[in-house]
Structures are given as structure tokens and as C-alpha cells.
Coordinates of all heavy atoms in Angstrom, one line a residue:
M1 N 48.9 43.1 35.0 CA 50.2 42.6 34.5 C 51.3 43.4 35.1 O 51.5 44.5 34.9 CB 50.3 42.7 32.9 CG 49.1 42.0 32.2 SD 49.4 40.3 32.0 CE 50.0 40.3 30.3
K2 N 52.1 42.7 35.9 CA 53.2 43.4 36.6 C 54.5 42.7 36.3 O 54.6 41.4 36.3 CB 52.9 43.3 38.1 CG 53.1 44.5 38.8 CD 52.6 44.3 40.2 CE 53.0 45.4 41.2 NZ 52.7 45.0 42.6
C3 N 55.5 43.5 36.0 CA 56.9 42.9 35.7 C 57.5 42.4 37.0 O 57.4 43.1 38.0 CB 57.7 44.0 35.1 SG 59.4 43.6 35.0
I4 N 58.1 41.3 37.0 CA 58.7 40.7 38.2 C 60.0 41.3 38.6 O 60.4 41.3 39.8 CB 58.8 39.2 38.0 CG1 59.0 38.5 39.3 CG2 60.0 38.8 37.1 CD1 58.2 37.2 39.4
S5 N 60.7 41.9 37.6 CA 62.0 42.5 38.0 C 61.9 44.0 38.5 O 62.4 44.3 39.5 CB 62.9 42.5 36.7 OG 63.2 41.2 36.3
C6 N 61.0 44.8 37.8 CA 60.9 46.2 38.2 C 59.6 46.5 39.0 O 59.4 47.6 39.5 CB 61.1 47.1 37.1 SG 59.9 47.0 35.8
E7 N 58.7 45.5 39.0 CA 57.4 45.6 39.7 C 56.6 46.8 39.2 O 55.9 47.4 39.9 CB 57.6 45.7 41.2 CG 58.2 44.4 41.7 CD 58.3 44.4 43.2 OE1 58.2 45.4 43.9 OE2 58.4 43.3 43.8
K8 N 56.7 47.0 37.9 CA 55.9 48.1 37.3 C 54.9 47.5 36.4 O 55.1 46.4 35.8 CB 56.8 49.1 36.5 CG 57.4 50.1 37.3 CD 58.4 51.0 36.4 CE 59.2 51.9 37.3 NZ 60.4 52.4 36.6
E9 N 53.7 48.1 36.3 CA 52.7 47.7 35.4 C 53.2 47.8 34.0 O 53.9 48.8 33.6 CB 51.4 48.5 35.5 CG 50.8 48.5 36.9 CD 49.9 47.2 37.1 OE1 49.5 46.7 36.1 OE2 49.8 46.8 38.2
T10 N 53.0 46.8 33.2 CA 53.5 46.8 31.8 C 52.5 46.2 30.9 O 51.8 45.3 31.2 CB 54.8 46.1 31.7 OG1 55.2 46.0 30.4 CG2 54.8 44.7 32.3
S11 N 52.5 46.8 29.7 CA 51.6 46.3 28.6 C 52.4 45.4 27.6 O 52.0 44.4 27.1 CB 50.9 47.4 27.9 OG 51.9 48.3 27.4
E12 N 53.7 45.8 27.5 CA 54.6 45.1 26.6 C 55.4 44.1 27.4 O 56.5 44.5 28.0 CB 55.5 46.0 25.8 CG 54.8 46.6 24.7 CD 55.8 47.3 23.7 OE1 56.4 48.3 24.1 OE2 56.0 46.8 22.6
S13 N 55.0 42.9 27.6 CA 55.7 42.0 28.5 C 55.9 40.7 27.8 O 55.3 40.3 26.8 CB 54.9 41.8 29.8 OG 53.6 41.3 29.4
V14 N 56.8 40.0 28.4 CA 57.2 38.6 27.9 C 56.9 37.6 29.0 O 57.3 37.9 30.2 CB 58.6 38.6 27.5 CG1 59.0 37.2 26.8 CG2 59.0 39.7 26.5
Q15 N 56.2 36.6 28.7 CA 55.9 35.6 29.7 C 56.6 34.3 29.4 O 56.7 33.9 28.3 CB 54.4 35.4 29.7 CG 53.8 35.1 31.0 CD 52.3 34.8 31.0 OE1 51.8 34.0 30.2 NE2 51.5 35.6 31.8
F16 N 57.1 33.7 30.5 CA 57.8 32.5 30.3 C 57.7 31.7 31.6 O 57.6 32.3 32.7 CB 59.3 32.7 29.9 CG 60.1 33.5 30.9 CD1 60.9 32.9 31.9 CD2 60.0 34.9 31.0 CE1 61.6 33.6 32.8 CE2 60.7 35.6 31.9 CZ 61.5 35.0 32.8
P17 N 57.8 30.4 31.5 CA 57.7 29.6 32.7 C 59.1 29.5 33.5 O 60.1 29.5 32.9 CB 57.4 28.2 32.2 CG 57.9 28.1 30.8 CD 57.9 29.6 30.3
C18 N 59.0 29.5 34.8 CA 60.2 29.3 35.6 C 60.8 28.0 35.2 O 60.2 27.0 35.1 CB 59.8 29.3 37.1 SG 61.1 28.8 38.2
P19 N 62.2 28.0 35.0 CA 62.9 26.8 34.6 C 62.9 25.7 35.7 O 63.1 24.6 35.4 CB 64.3 27.3 34.4 CG 64.3 28.8 34.5 CD 63.1 29.2 35.2
K20 N 62.6 26.1 36.9 CA 62.6 25.2 38.0 C 61.2 24.6 38.3 O 61.1 23.4 38.4 CB 63.2 25.8 39.2 CG 63.9 24.8 40.2 CD 64.5 25.6 41.3 CE 64.8 24.7 42.4 NZ 65.3 25.4 43.6
C21 N 60.2 25.5 38.5 CA 58.9 25.0 38.9 C 57.8 25.2 37.9 O 56.7 24.7 38.1 CB 58.5 25.6 40.3 SG 58.1 27.3 40.1
G22 N 58.1 25.9 36.8 CA 57.1 26.1 35.8 C 56.1 27.2 36.1 O 55.2 27.4 35.3
E23 N 56.3 27.9 37.1 CA 55.4 29.1 37.4 C 55.6 30.2 36.4 O 56.7 30.4 35.9 CB 55.8 29.7 38.8 CG 55.1 30.9 39.2 CD 53.7 30.6 39.8 OE1 53.3 29.5 39.8 OE2 53.1 31.6 40.3
K24 N 54.5 30.8 36.0 CA 54.6 31.8 35.0 C 55.2 33.0 35.5 O 54.9 33.6 36.5 CB 53.2 32.1 34.5 CG 52.7 31.3 33.4 CD 51.3 31.7 32.9 CE 50.7 30.6 32.0 NZ 49.3 30.8 31.7
I25 N 56.2 33.5 34.7 CA 57.0 34.7 35.1 C 56.8 35.8 34.0 O 56.8 35.4 32.8 CB 58.5 34.4 35.3 CG1 58.6 33.5 36.5 CG2 59.3 35.6 35.4 CD1 60.0 33.0 36.8
L26 N 56.5 37.0 34.5 CA 56.2 38.0 33.5 C 57.3 39.1 33.6 O 57.6 39.6 34.7 CB 54.9 38.7 33.9 CG 54.2 39.3 32.8 CD1 53.1 38.4 32.3 CD2 53.6 40.6 33.3
R27 N 57.9 39.5 32.5 CA 58.9 40.5 32.5 C 58.6 41.5 31.4 O 58.2 41.1 30.3 CB 60.2 39.9 32.3 CG 61.0 40.1 33.6 CD 62.4 39.6 33.6 NE 63.0 38.9 32.6 CZ 64.3 38.8 32.4 NH1 65.1 39.4 33.2 NH2 64.8 38.1 31.4
C28 N 58.9 42.8 31.6 CA 58.7 43.8 30.6 C 59.9 43.8 29.6 O 60.9 43.3 29.9 CB 58.5 45.2 31.2 SG 59.9 45.8 32.0
K29 N 59.6 44.4 28.5 CA 60.7 44.4 27.5 C 62.0 45.1 28.0 O 63.1 44.7 27.6 CB 60.2 45.1 26.2 CG 59.4 44.2 25.3 CD 59.1 44.9 24.0 CE 58.5 44.0 23.0 NZ 58.2 44.7 21.7
R30 N 61.8 46.1 28.7 CA 63.0 46.8 29.2 C 63.9 46.0 30.0 O 65.1 45.9 29.8 CB 62.5 48.0 30.0 CG 63.5 49.1 30.3 CD 63.0 50.2 31.2 NE 64.0 50.5 32.2 CZ 64.1 50.0 33.4 NH1 63.2 49.2 33.8 NH2 65.1 50.4 34.2
C31 N 63.2 45.3 31.0 CA 64.0 44.4 31.9 C 64.6 43.2 31.1 O 65.7 42.8 31.5 CB 63.2 43.9 33.0 SG 62.7 45.2 34.2
R32 N 63.9 42.8 30.1 CA 64.4 41.7 29.3 C 65.7 42.1 28.6 O 66.7 41.4 28.5 CB 63.4 41.2 28.4 CG 63.6 39.7 28.0 CD 62.5 39.3 27.1 NE 62.8 39.6 25.7 CZ 63.2 38.7 24.8 NH1 63.4 37.5 25.1 NH2 63.5 39.1 23.6
S33 N 65.6 43.3 27.9 CA 66.7 43.8 27.2 C 67.9 44.1 28.0 O 69.0 44.1 27.6 CB 66.3 45.0 26.3 OG 65.9 46.1 27.1
L34 N 67.6 44.5 29.3 CA 68.7 44.8 30.2 C 69.2 43.6 30.9 O 70.2 43.6 31.7 CB 68.3 45.9 31.2 CG 67.9 47.3 30.7 CD1 67.3 48.1 31.8 CD2 69.2 48.0 30.2
S35 N 68.6 42.5 30.7 CA 68.9 41.2 31.3 C 68.9 41.3 32.8 O 69.8 40.9 33.5 CB 70.2 40.7 30.8 OG 70.1 40.3 29.5
L36 N 67.9 42.0 33.4 CA 67.8 42.2 34.8 C 67.5 40.8 35.5 O 66.8 40.0 34.9 CB 66.8 43.2 35.2 CG 67.2 44.7 34.9 CD1 66.1 45.6 35.4 CD2 68.5 45.1 35.6
E37 N 67.9 40.7 36.7 CA 67.7 39.5 37.4 C 66.2 39.3 37.8 O 65.6 40.3 38.1 CB 68.6 39.5 38.6 CG 68.6 38.1 39.3 CD 69.5 38.2 40.5 OE1 69.2 38.8 41.5 OE2 70.6 37.6 40.4
Y38 N 65.7 38.1 37.8 CA 64.4 37.9 38.2 C 64.4 36.8 39.3 O 65.3 36.1 39.4 CB 63.4 37.5 37.1 CG 63.8 36.2 36.5 CD1 63.3 35.0 37.0 CD2 64.6 36.1 35.4 CE1 63.6 33.8 36.4 CE2 64.9 34.9 34.8 CZ 64.4 33.7 35.3 OH 64.7 32.5 34.8
K39 N 63.3 36.8 40.1 CA 63.2 35.8 41.1 C 61.8 35.2 41.1 O 60.8 36.0 41.1 CB 63.5 36.5 42.5 CG 63.8 35.4 43.6 CD 64.0 36.1 44.9 CE 63.9 35.2 46.0 NZ 63.8 35.8 47.3
C40 N 61.8 33.9 41.0 CA 60.5 33.3 41.0 C 59.8 33.4 42.3 O 60.4 33.1 43.4 CB 60.7 31.8 40.6 SG 59.2 30.8 40.8
P41 N 58.5 33.9 42.3 CA 57.8 34.1 43.6 C 57.5 32.8 44.3 O 57.2 32.8 45.5 CB 56.5 34.9 43.2 CG 56.4 34.6 41.7 CD 57.7 34.3 41.2
K42 N 57.5 31.7 43.5 CA 57.0 30.5 44.1 C 58.2 29.7 44.7 O 58.1 29.3 45.9 CB 56.4 29.6 43.0 CG 55.3 28.7 43.5 CD 54.6 28.0 42.3 CE 53.8 26.9 42.7 NZ 53.2 26.2 41.6
C43 N 59.3 29.5 43.9 CA 60.4 28.7 44.4 C 61.6 29.4 44.8 O 62.5 28.9 45.3 CB 60.7 27.6 43.4 SG 61.4 28.2 41.9
G44 N 61.7 30.7 44.4 CA 62.8 31.6 44.7 C 64.0 31.4 43.8 O 65.0 31.9 44.0
Y45 N 63.7 30.7 42.6 CA 64.8 30.6 41.6 C 65.2 31.9 41.1 O 64.3 32.8 40.7 CB 64.3 29.7 40.5 CG 65.3 29.5 39.4 CD1 66.3 28.6 39.4 CD2 65.2 30.3 38.3 CE1 67.2 28.4 38.4 CE2 66.1 30.2 37.2 CZ 67.1 29.2 37.3 OH 68.0 29.1 36.3
K46 N 66.5 32.2 41.0 CA 66.9 33.4 40.4 C 67.6 33.2 39.0 O 68.4 32.2 38.9 CB 68.0 34.1 41.3 CG 67.3 34.9 42.4 CD 68.4 35.6 43.2 CE 67.9 36.3 44.4 NZ 69.0 36.8 45.2
G47 N 67.3 34.1 38.1 CA 67.9 33.9 36.8 C 68.1 35.2 36.1 O 67.6 36.2 36.5
P48 N 68.8 35.2 35.0 CA 69.1 36.5 34.3 C 68.0 36.8 33.3 O 67.2 35.9 32.9 CB 70.4 36.2 33.5 CG 70.4 34.7 33.3 CD 69.6 34.1 34.5
Ligands
LIG1 ZN1 60.4 45.4 34.2
LIG2 ZN1 59.9 28.8 40.2

């Protein structure tokens, strides 16, 4: 399990589908609370 924003292994993560292509995106709690930007590895969609 790797966070998509900070690329660190994480146990406390939140998973959600990409709004554009539905690919599963994984983010750790820290990045979520900081609202760090993520990028979908499949379609390149960027979101907060
Ligand atoms: Zn993170
Ligand atoms: Zn996507």
C-alpha cells in the first residue's frame, strides 16, 4: 500500500476512485488532511 501523493508506504490510508477513469487511488491520512495534490497514474488526472 503506497500513498500516491508522498509515495510512502502507509497503513492508514484512504482509497477512492479517480473521478475521471475510476482507477483506485490510495492516499495516506496525512496527505488527505493536508489536501496534497494527487495524480492518477492511469489517466493523469490531477486533483486536490
Ligand atoms: Zn501520503
Ligand atoms: Zn484516472
Side-chain angles (χ1 to χ4, degrees):
M1 304 276 262
K2 225 172 165 192
C3 168
I4 197 139
S5 293
C6 62
E7 294 188 341
K8 277 177 189 159
E9 298 280 335
T10 174
S11 51
E12 280 193 293
S13 57
V14 187
Q15 212 179 54
F16 59 99
C18 168
K20 207 176 165 187
C21 70
E23 175 84 352
K24 273 183 192 169
I25 292 173
L26 205 103
R27 245 181 358 159
C28 67
K29 275 192 170 176
R30 194 185 139 263
C31 290
R32 203 179 87 102
S33 63
L34 292 173
S35 294
L36 286 184
E37 190 177 73
Y38 65 86
K39 194 181 166 196
C40 173
K42 208 173 166 185
C43 69
Y45 176 87
K46 277 186 186 174

